[in-house]
Amino acid sequence: MFRTKRSGLVRRLWRSRAPVEGDGEADRGTHGSGGCCMGKATKMAKSNAGSEAELKALTNSILKKIKEKQLEVLLQAVESKGGARSPCLLLPNKVDAKVGQQSYSLPMLLYKVFRWPDLRHSSELKRLSCCESYGEINPELVCCNPHHMSRLCELESPPPPYSRYPMDYLKPPDSPDSGPSSSETGGTTYSAPVGLSDSLALQESGDRAHWCVVAYWEEKTRVGRLYSVQESSLDIFYDLPQGNGFCLGQLCSDNKSQLVQMVRSKIGYGIQLTREQDGVWVYNRSCYPIFIKSATLDNPDSRTLLVHKVFPGFSIKAFDYDKAGSLQRPNDHEFTQQPRTGFTVQISFVKGWGQCYTRQFISSCPCWLEVIFNSR
């Protein structure tokens, strides 16, 4: 019997499905306990989700109704794990599929099969801005490309105690030359020893072309020059098949630390930084967690800053312009002394920092970013 191209594509797609937690193949960086991002998986019990055979039969029957070119688009996205740019996969939004006792729309079924087996509801998802369906409300055709979606990172309450930062760590040094740098203290005062003094020149020059600048650090050393961002979306990565943005792998680093080199190798597809109407979102495209600290992620009245853990495939609104503006109160001593505290986000790859980590300050993290937003 001759096998058609369509059948071959369907078989390859099924082999590339997302592993279910507990089958021994699940990505070890995708889920875990602790942290502030609700990325903890709920095992998909067979009694609720149907047997493997039932799911396979249903998925195959749906895939065989999709055009060959669309199957190729889906396969490209799934096999590259989102690393290759793939167009939208526009399919009917109202086709329902029943798995076990639950019914799912066609997009939800594809998202569950190819990315998140524990996905329960569409409210857990956020569409990436690169998608044609971004911002659309109940369109007849909706993009079903699983890698045009991300999981929403919901903050736990109360946050875990390891991520708390006493306000003493945030106090500015008495003078630039006599105190520790901002990176060592966890604050965001830009003194000359830190190496970010050129970012101040960018901000003070009144340059309105960029909306943020990005600095890449390895421990206490900044690597390369500041990256000025004009486009609404930026990929920051070490190794991406079709990357267009800030490639950390092209920077020259003299750091020979085995830990730094190990973390570098795990950055992979990195993150996507996107400026949207409601703020700036960070999407974790890598296979390992990232850790984020931002003043706008916390309660404005809080006297602590928190480090938030974001799992692979999840997005978090790391910066909110409205909140940042409200933080700059004339009578607020903290922001009078550090006017840019609310306009900086720190992101560490793979390794976290905080009081219950061996790394108390971000400057001890092997590979990390400082994103400085233009307050003008």
Side-chain angles (χ1 to χ4, degrees):
M1 179 186 293
F2 293 100
R3 293 178 177 177
T4 64
K5 180 180 179 182
R6 178 188 298 274
S7 298
L9 292 171
V10 170
R11 282 195 303 276
R12 285 175 62 186
L13 279 165
W14 179 251
R15 288 196 297 267
S16 302
R17 68 193 184 280
V20 178
E21 174 118 345
D23 67 0
E25 298 178 10
D27 186 347
R28 62 186 177 275
T30 302
H31 301 294
S33 60
C36 296
C37 178
M38 299 293 285
K40 298 181 285 250
T42 303
K43 286 192 178 181
M44 188 170 63
K46 290 188 177 181
S47 59
N48 294 328
S51 66
E52 179 87 352
E54 181 186 2
L55 181 61
K56 180 177 181 180
L58 177 62
T59 304
N60 285 353
S61 68
I62 289 176
L63 293 178
K64 287 177 180 178
K65 296 176 184 177
I66 299 176
K67 296 177 181 178
E68 275 189 17
K69 287 188 178 295
Q70 292 177 316
L71 288 176
E72 290 173 348
V73 167
L74 181 58
L75 185 64
Q76 180 190 27
V78 170
E79 287 191 335
S80 71
K81 299 187 185 299
R85 291 179 187 170
S86 53
C88 288
L89 178 63
L90 297 175
L91 296 171
N93 189 25
K94 296 182 180 180
V95 176
D96 288 333
K98 195 168 185 178
V99 182
Q101 301 300 316
Q102 293 182 310
S103 295
Y104 299 98
S105 66
L106 176 57
M108 278 288 290
L109 180 67
L110 295 182
Y111 302 153
K112 283 177 67 68
V113 170
F114 294 110
R115 290 209 70 182
W116 302 289
D118 64 311
L119 183 65
R120 295 178 297 275
H121 195 272
S122 60
S123 61
E124 301 173 36
L125 298 172
K126 180 186 183 300
R127 193 170 294 281
L128 301 178
S129 61
C130 63
C131 183
E132 288 180 25
S133 297
Y134 175 77
E136 295 288 333
I137 301 175
N138 297 324
E140 290 186 10
L141 296 178
V142 65
C143 177
C144 298
N145 188 327
H147 288 276
H148 284 189
M149 303 295 293
S150 65
R151 290 283 288 273
L152 272 173
C153 189
E154 299 177 3
L155 306 184
E156 290 179 340
S157 180
Y162 70 76
S163 62
R164 294 192 176 277
Y165 268 78
M167 285 298 288
D168 289 344
Y169 291 161
L170 303 178
K171 292 179 181 177
D174 293 334
S175 65
D177 296 320
S178 62
S181 70
S182 66
S183 300
E184 293 171 328
T185 61
T188 47
T189 301
Y190 302 128
S191 54
V194 181
L196 279 178
S197 54
D198 47 349
S199 73
L200 288 179
L202 276 172
Q203 297 245 10
E204 309 248 348
S205 68
D207 178 12
R208 296 173 183 268
H210 73 279
W211 57 272
C212 77
V213 291
V214 181
Y216 170 61
W217 296 74
E218 290 178 353
E219 298 173 326
K220 296 181 182 180
T221 303
R222 200 185 83 198
V223 179
R225 297 182 60 83
L226 289 174
Y227 192 97
S228 181
V229 185
Q230 288 86 28
E231 301 296 329
S232 61
S233 182
L234 173 70
D235 291 325
I236 303 174
F237 57 94
Y238 194 84
D239 180 20
L240 188 63
Q242 295 182 7
N244 183 19
F246 189 10
C247 179
L248 305 179
Q250 292 182 348
L251 300 178
C252 295
S253 171
D254 296 327
N255 197 315
K256 305 300 181 184
S257 163
Q258 289 186 350
L259 181 60
V260 169
Q261 293 181 18
M262 182 271 290
V263 172
R264 253 194 241 134
S265 69
K266 292 183 176 181
I267 293 174
Y269 294 176
I271 64 171
Q272 188 174 84
L273 196 68
T274 307
R275 184 182 185 184
E276 302 183 24
Q277 290 185 350
D278 61 342
V280 178
W281 287 79
V282 173
Y283 169 46
N284 184 2
R285 304 181 68 184
S286 74
C287 294
Y288 296 87
I290 60 173
F291 298 81
I292 297 181
K293 188 184 76 173
S294 167
T296 67
L297 282 173
D298 298 324
N299 189 320
D301 299 324
S302 173
R303 292 184 61 80
T304 61
L305 286 183
L306 308 174
V307 177
H308 300 274
K309 185 176 184 178
V310 181
F311 290 94
F314 280 70
S315 286
I316 188 171
K317 185 163 74 169
F319 185 73
D320 187 307
Y321 285 97
D322 291 337
K323 285 185 179 180
S326 67
L327 288 174
Q328 295 196 71
R329 296 181 291 272
N331 298 325
D332 190 321
H333 174 74
E334 179 68 27
F335 285 89
T336 300
Q337 296 298 317
Q338 300 186 70
R340 292 177 180 83
T341 296
F343 286 88
T344 301
V345 170
Q346 293 174 330
I347 304 170
S348 175
F349 295 103
V350 184
K351 300 296 183 180
W353 75 99
Q355 290 183 332
C356 288
Y357 280 93
T358 55
R359 301 164 191 83
Q360 190 172 16
F361 307 118
I362 194 171
S363 59
S364 299
C365 292
C367 303
W368 57 282
L369 303 168
E370 192 145 25
V371 185
I372 307 105
F373 297 99
N374 191 343
S375 60
R376 297 177 181 271

